């Protein structure tokens, strides 16, 4: 396993011949959305800074976030097709977005189902099936549901996983849910009680395939597990070897040093600003005291 920054990314396109896998700073892809690939190749969405990257089952709508800059990127028609998500992104810090299939939504209209988790809140446009799952969870989850709910992973058919701060609640296809040897059933049973981090994903066209980033809610230990088609799996293995190479490790060491230098500079700037504010307060209090001596004003102590 690489010693520095082993980021994992998996995107399932609309069919088995369309996909992307990424690890470290590198990626491999096949027949994926050209707009998305442009943003990745021009380093707006460099793989090692992808916080999450979601794609709907058609392969036309996609949304991703650069964790380093906090900037969100999406396809050219996204604002027209899903304007509510764009409006949320304008006003809040986005933590996760997931896109689901076209379905009969809770307002009776047909459209894309989706979920957005942002700082201090969430918004969901679910199908009738997912709405029922959320309502059931609301009856069993204690505490502030709005804070504890982290989002939805949309999978094959109507299968989905509700994510919370201390675990997850899956609704699997009947055949999968009754097969203890199914890879999805097995991994979810093994990590019951762990949380799912942004970047986790389910395949829309076959529920045998997924990539999960699990985090233990008490120890904060993170583990990554995946089940991928053979070509994706092999490409990911090759990328992992490259990430472990001296060249890539040197890249990440340099980036880590740059990051620490920026953090140090920001901390110094904040210290200078605090010192400046303290100086202004001292001068203000001195002025207030002088006014009290000459004109009868009351001095207000600032600390």
């Amino acid at each position: 396993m690489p010693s520095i920054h082993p980021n994992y990314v998996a995107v399932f396109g609309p069919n088995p011949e369309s996909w992307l896998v990424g690890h470290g700073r590198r990626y491999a892809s096949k027949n994926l959305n050209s707009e998305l690939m442009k943003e990745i190749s021009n380093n707006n969405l460099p793989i090692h800074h992808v916080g999450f990257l979601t794609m709907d089952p058609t392969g036309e709508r996609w949304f991703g976030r650069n964790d380093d800059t906090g900037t969100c990127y999406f396809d050219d028609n996204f604002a027209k097709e899903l304007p509510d998500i764009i409006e949320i992104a304008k006003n809040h810090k986005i933590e996760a977005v997931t896109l689901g299939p076209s379905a009969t939504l809770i307002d009776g209209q047909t459209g894309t189902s989706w979920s957005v988790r942002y700082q201090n809140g969430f918004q969901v446009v679910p199908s009738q099936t997912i709405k029922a799952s959320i309502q059931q969870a609301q009856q069993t989850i204690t505490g502030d549901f709005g804070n504890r709910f982290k989002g939805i992973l949309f999978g094959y058919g109507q299968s989905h996983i509700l994510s919370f701060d201390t675990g997850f609640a899956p609704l699997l296809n009947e055949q999968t849910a009754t097969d203890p040897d199914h890879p999805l059933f097995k991994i979810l049973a093994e990590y019951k009680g762990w949380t799912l981090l942004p970047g986790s994903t389910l395949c829309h066209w076959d529920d045998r395939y997924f990539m999960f980033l699990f985090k233990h809610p008490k120890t904060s230990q993170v583990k990554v597990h995946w089940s991928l088609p053979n070509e994706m799996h092999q490409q990911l293995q090759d990328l992992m070897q490259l990430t472990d190479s001296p060249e890539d490790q040197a890249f990440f060491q340099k980036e880590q040093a740059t990051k620490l230098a920026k953090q140090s500079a920001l901390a110094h700037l904040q210290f200078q600003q605090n010192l400046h504010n303290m100086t202004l307060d001292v001068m203000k209090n001195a002025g207030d005291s002088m006014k009290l001596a000459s004109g009868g004003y009351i001095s207000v102590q600032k600390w």
Side-chain angles (χ1 to χ4, degrees):
M1 182 65 69
S3 58
I4 296 178
H5 213 316
N7 200 24
Y8 291 81
V9 180
V11 178
F12 298 98
N15 57 65
E17 296 301 311
S18 177
W19 50 264
L20 177 143
V21 288
H23 189 267
R25 63 171 176 158
R26 302 178 186 270
Y27 66 91
S29 64
K30 185 176 183 180
N31 300 326
L32 208 61
N33 185 289
S34 59
E35 291 180 63
L36 170 58
M37 297 313 303
K38 180 180 178 181
E39 299 294 356
I40 292 174
S41 62
N42 67 14
N43 273 337
N44 282 335
L45 276 172
I47 291 299
H48 59 290
H49 287 315
V50 169
F52 65 85
L53 185 54
T54 181
M55 178 172 284
D56 78 349
T58 70
E60 296 177 0
R61 301 285 79 77
W62 58 268
F63 193 104
R65 187 191 65 207
N66 181 324
D67 266 1
D68 185 51
T69 64
T71 305
C72 294
Y73 296 90
F74 40 85
D75 63 88
D76 287 345
N77 291 321
F78 202 97
K80 178 182 177 182
E81 299 292 334
L82 298 168
D84 290 347
I85 297 179
I86 303 302
E87 194 63 28
I88 294 171
K90 289 179 180 178
N91 299 307
H92 301 277
K93 181 181 178 182
I94 296 291
E95 297 178 0
V97 174
T98 54
L99 303 176
S102 178
T104 301
L105 306 177
I106 55 176
D107 60 2
Q109 301 295 314
T110 298
T112 299
S113 47
W114 52 267
S115 77
V116 176
R117 176 72 207 185
Y118 54 90
Q119 196 171 30
N120 302 321
F122 73 92
Q123 189 166 335
V124 175
V125 174
S127 66
Q128 297 288 351
T129 301
I130 295 177
K131 176 187 176 183
S133 293
I134 294 174
Q135 289 174 333
Q136 182 177 3
Q138 287 175 320
Q139 295 174 5
T140 58
I141 297 293
T142 59
D144 187 342
F145 189 85
N147 285 329
R148 300 196 61 188
F149 181 74
K150 299 303 178 183
I152 304 171
L153 294 184
F154 299 93
Y156 174 66
Q158 285 294 313
S159 64
H160 57 272
I161 302 174
L162 304 183
S163 180
F164 300 94
D165 59 344
T166 56
F168 51 83
L171 180 66
L172 306 180
N173 295 309
E174 182 178 357
Q175 184 175 358
T176 303
T178 56
D179 181 2
D181 293 324
H182 192 285
L184 181 57
F185 182 98
K186 288 174 65 176
I187 198 67
L188 294 179
E190 181 179 351
Y191 281 88
K192 184 178 180 180
W194 291 56
T195 63
L196 286 165
L197 294 176
S200 300
T201 186
L202 289 168
C203 179
H204 293 294
W205 39 264
D206 192 324
D207 62 3
R208 293 176 299 169
Y209 304 130
F210 51 82
M211 178 175 280
F212 293 141
L213 286 69
F214 292 107
K215 182 178 180 179
H216 196 283
K218 293 183 178 180
T219 66
S220 295
Q221 181 184 14
V222 175
K223 290 190 176 183
V224 184
H225 286 272
W226 62 85
S227 174
L228 301 172
N230 290 335
E231 189 175 15
M232 291 180 70
H233 175 78
Q234 185 57 56
Q235 290 290 340
L236 180 59
Q237 295 294 320
D238 293 343
L239 294 172
M240 291 172 66
Q241 291 185 6
L242 289 171
T243 303
D244 215 10
S245 68
E247 177 187 354
D248 281 31
Q249 288 299 300
F251 171 86
F252 287 120
Q253 287 171 357
K254 182 178 179 180
E255 181 166 275
Q256 183 72 2
T258 301
K259 181 179 180 180
L260 292 174
K262 287 181 179 179
Q263 291 175 343
S264 178
L266 287 172
H268 179 72
L269 184 63
Q270 185 63 50
F271 173 78
Q272 293 292 335
Q273 184 62 50
N274 291 341
L275 186 62
H276 176 70
N277 292 339
M278 289 175 63
T279 302
L280 291 179
D281 282 344
V282 170
M283 293 174 66
K284 174 67 167 55
N285 281 302
D288 287 341
S289 297
M290 290 178 66
K291 290 176 182 178
L292 177 62
S294 61
Y297 290 92
I298 298 175
S299 176
V300 179
Q301 194 72 17
K302 297 294 185 181
W303 57 82

